[in-house]
Amino acid sequence: MTIRNRLTWLFVGVVAFILLGVLTTAFVLQADYGQREFRQRLRDRAEVAAYIFLEKDELRSSAFQEFQKRYQRTLTGEIIQLYDARGEVRFVHEDARLEVPPAVLARIKEGHEEYFEDGPREAVGIFYRDNQGQYVVVAGAENVYGHARLRYLATIMASLFVLSLLLIYGAGRLFAGRALAPIAALNDQMDRITAHDLHRRVTENLSGREQDELSRLAQTFNRLLDRLESSFDSQRAFVRNASHELRTPLAASIGEAQLALTRDREPAAYRAALHDLLTDLTQLKALLNHLLELAQAEMHLPEQADLIRVDELLAEACAAIAPAQRPRLHLHTGHLPAEPEQLELTGNRPLLSRALTNLLENALKYSEPQPVAVTLEYEPGEVRLRIRDEGIGIAAEELPQVFQPFFRASNARPVAGHGVGLSLARKIIEQHGGQLHLASRLGHGTTVVVVLPTA
């Protein structure tokens, strides 16, 4: 069932329930009012009968005639009976008689006003005291007109109920259709977006209101498209750059092998060719290792993580640097906690060590022969590692792209590398809940700040 139909039937059901409750309440109240009105009329008839048949000798002739003319209007199937104190019938208004249960008659004699039913008739009994004695007056009649009014009222209410449901159903479908029309339009726009045109966006104000739920849904979907487009662009750039990087050492290796096989050479020439081939294959191996590390960095960390001290992690990363380059690293410590345990964090030790090593190697590689300043600082809840070099720097227009895999700045191409280190380091640090910030000026060096939360 479509949302439109579900909303329509839900709307009809709710309104029908409320309308049925209102109409039922009105009908019950009307029936109760008619019942009380008819009982009051029966009671009036009983009193009239008592006055007429018991007080006639005590009223003036003109007053009695006026009283009789005013109140002696009979009801449908009316029967009036008078009982004396011994319970014997003294008077019956009609040939038919009311069957008064003995228990009811006894309660009336005690002074109670009793209502009861005798077949289709409703009856009332009252106790009447006269100077001639004590009497019980019983009046009964059929509430023909009252029942007819209730049937007429029930017919009208049922007709109104059915007609209202039809109108509500039509109005519900109309308003549900109008309310869902922007969603249908949004669905059509979303359906036209494919992997080949992720640059397209859906309209964010289809309903005419800027901050309703539909607008927020469109904005959320557009943000999703932004992330997907960025991811697809990064993936395309990754495949393009990776293919280029892989093709270069492979082509060089094949060329070296083909050149060595063109003719017979001296052993020294073969050794030189094998040395060049080994260099190309070593670069290829390093590139494949980088690709593997990038794939590992995309994976979620295991729940069982290591407890790592950041100062020890930094020492391991420095130890992984080539011995000839280590003297250029100048380590500094800012404010550190009194308890070494406050420098601990949870995570994957090999991955974090790889990330810091990449950052240190990049700083040393692009600032040779200048020194690299490494500063470790502590703040409550986090540690900061600042790596500052005096190297070639990065142009401002290229700075936003340096975290893309295999991207290399234009001034960095003469330096050997694959453009994977920064991207890999950022992914690893973000996997551990940290942040990596980079600031650089062309020709004035680069500063990398790593922020990691402590345990």
Side-chain angles (χ1 to χ4, degrees):
M1 184 182 291
T2 63
I3 294 179
R4 180 182 183 183
N5 288 336
R6 285 202 300 269
L7 287 176
T8 301
W9 286 114
L10 178 63
F11 182 63
V12 170
V14 171
V15 176
F17 179 77
I18 297 174
L19 186 60
L20 183 62
V22 171
L23 293 178
T24 302
T25 302
F27 182 81
V28 171
L29 292 176
Q30 177 61 31
D32 180 70
Y33 174 76
Q35 181 77 10
R36 288 186 286 107
E37 181 190 30
F38 186 71
R39 286 182 174 182
Q40 182 62 39
R41 293 177 65 187
L42 285 176
R43 190 179 187 285
D44 292 343
R45 292 300 301 160
E47 291 181 352
V48 167
Y51 274 109
I52 290 177
F53 297 106
L54 297 177
E55 304 289 346
K56 180 178 180 181
D57 56 337
E58 298 180 11
L59 292 176
R60 290 180 290 105
S61 176
S62 58
F64 175 76
Q65 291 176 359
E66 178 66 22
F67 183 84
Q68 189 176 30
K69 182 188 299 183
R70 183 175 180 181
Y71 291 105
Q72 201 173 19
R73 292 194 296 271
T74 60
L75 301 173
T76 303
E78 179 180 287
I79 298 176
I80 297 176
Q81 298 175 184
L82 271 74
Y83 294 82
D84 57 16
R86 292 173 296 178
E88 296 180 358
V89 179
R90 295 287 303 276
F91 174 79
V92 179
H93 181 61
E94 297 288 344
D95 293 337
R97 294 188 59 176
L98 290 171
E99 295 295 331
V100 183
V104 173
L105 187 60
R107 286 196 297 272
I108 297 174
K109 288 181 179 180
E110 295 175 358
H112 298 286
E113 183 177 309
E114 292 290 329
Y115 293 91
F116 60 95
E117 294 182 359
D118 181 26
R121 291 183 175 86
E122 297 181 29
V124 63
I126 62 174
F127 181 76
Y128 191 84
R129 184 179 284 104
D130 184 67
N131 55 8
Q132 301 178 21
Q134 297 178 347
Y135 298 91
V136 171
V137 183
V138 178
E142 297 181 31
N143 192 7
V144 176
Y145 297 109
H147 293 161
R149 282 198 303 270
L150 286 180
R151 286 193 298 270
Y152 181 68
L153 180 62
T155 303
I156 293 177
M157 286 185 171
S159 302
L160 288 175
F161 181 72
V162 174
L163 181 61
S164 298
L165 289 185
L166 294 176
L167 293 175
I168 292 167
Y169 177 79
R173 282 194 63 84
L174 176 63
F175 286 110
R178 288 185 177 180
L180 296 175
I183 298 180
L186 181 63
N187 184 61
D188 293 338
Q189 293 183 16
M190 294 165 61
D191 194 50
R192 290 193 291 268
I193 298 175
T194 65
H196 302 289
D197 52 4
L198 285 175
H199 62 278
R200 302 178 63 176
R201 297 293 181 267
V202 299
T203 305
E204 295 183 355
N205 194 20
L206 287 170
S207 61
R209 293 177 291 274
E210 296 183 356
Q211 295 300 325
D212 62 359
E213 289 78 3
L214 186 59
S215 297
R216 291 198 293 273
L217 174 63
Q219 293 168 7
T220 302
F221 184 73
N222 282 340
R223 288 194 294 270
L224 173 63
L225 288 178
D226 291 337
R227 294 191 293 271
L228 285 176
E229 184 179 16
S230 176
S231 177
F232 269 65
D233 291 341
S234 299
Q235 185 182 34
R236 294 190 187 102
F238 177 84
V239 172
R240 182 173 61 251
N241 294 328
S243 300
H244 174 75
E245 293 291 337
L246 288 170
R247 186 169 58 247
T248 300
L250 281 175
S253 301
I254 293 172
E256 292 291 341
Q258 289 175 340
L259 182 62
L261 293 173
T262 53
R263 60 184 174 85
D264 292 336
R265 299 176 183 275
E266 297 293 329
Y270 283 117
R271 283 195 296 271
L274 288 174
H275 179 270
D276 292 338
L277 182 61
L278 178 61
T279 301
D280 294 333
L281 292 177
T282 301
Q283 291 183 3
L284 181 59
K285 177 185 176 182
L287 179 58
L288 292 176
N289 286 336
H290 285 316
L291 292 176
L292 179 60
E293 290 169 347
L294 276 175
Q296 290 175 340
E298 294 287 351
M299 299 172 60
H300 293 289
L301 296 176
E303 294 184 3
Q304 296 292 337
D306 301 326
L307 198 61
I308 311 164
R309 274 183 51 177
V310 179
D311 53 346
E312 295 176 355
L313 186 67
L314 179 59
E316 291 176 10
C318 292
I321 300 297
Q325 299 292 336
R326 290 177 197 166
R328 294 172 52 207
L329 291 176
H330 295 179
L331 299 181
H332 307 277
T333 55
H335 172 70
L336 295 181
E339 298 295 333
E341 291 77 10
Q342 292 181 287
L343 291 175
E344 291 180 344
L345 56 85
T346 56
N348 186 297
R349 193 182 198 99
L351 283 180
L352 283 172
S353 179
R354 180 74 249 181
L356 296 185
T357 302
N358 283 349
L359 295 176
L360 293 175
E361 287 179 345
N362 272 358
L364 291 168
K365 181 167 58 176
Y366 293 109
S367 65
E368 192 173 2
Q370 301 295 327
V372 174
V374 182
T375 305
L376 178 63
E377 300 173 344
Y378 170 80
E379 294 182 7
E382 66 182 28
V383 290
R384 288 177 177 268
L385 182 64
R386 191 183 308 273
I387 303 173
R388 167 69 182 173
D389 67 61
E390 301 295 336
I392 61 177
I394 305 170
E397 61 273 12
E398 294 180 326
L399 198 59
Q401 306 176 59
V402 295
F403 291 109
Q404 294 182 9
F406 298 105
F407 175 82
R408 304 193 70 200
S410 55
N411 61 338
R413 289 168 188 167
V415 183
H418 301 102
V420 178
L422 271 179
S423 175
L424 177 61
R426 187 183 196 184
K427 289 181 183 298
I428 294 174
I429 290 169
E430 289 181 346
Q431 281 276 38
H432 289 77
Q435 300 174 359
L436 190 151
H437 306 287
L438 187 145
S440 182
R441 288 178 58 194
L442 189 62
H444 292 80
T446 302
T447 300
V448 175
V449 179
V450 177
V451 181
L452 288 169
T454 58

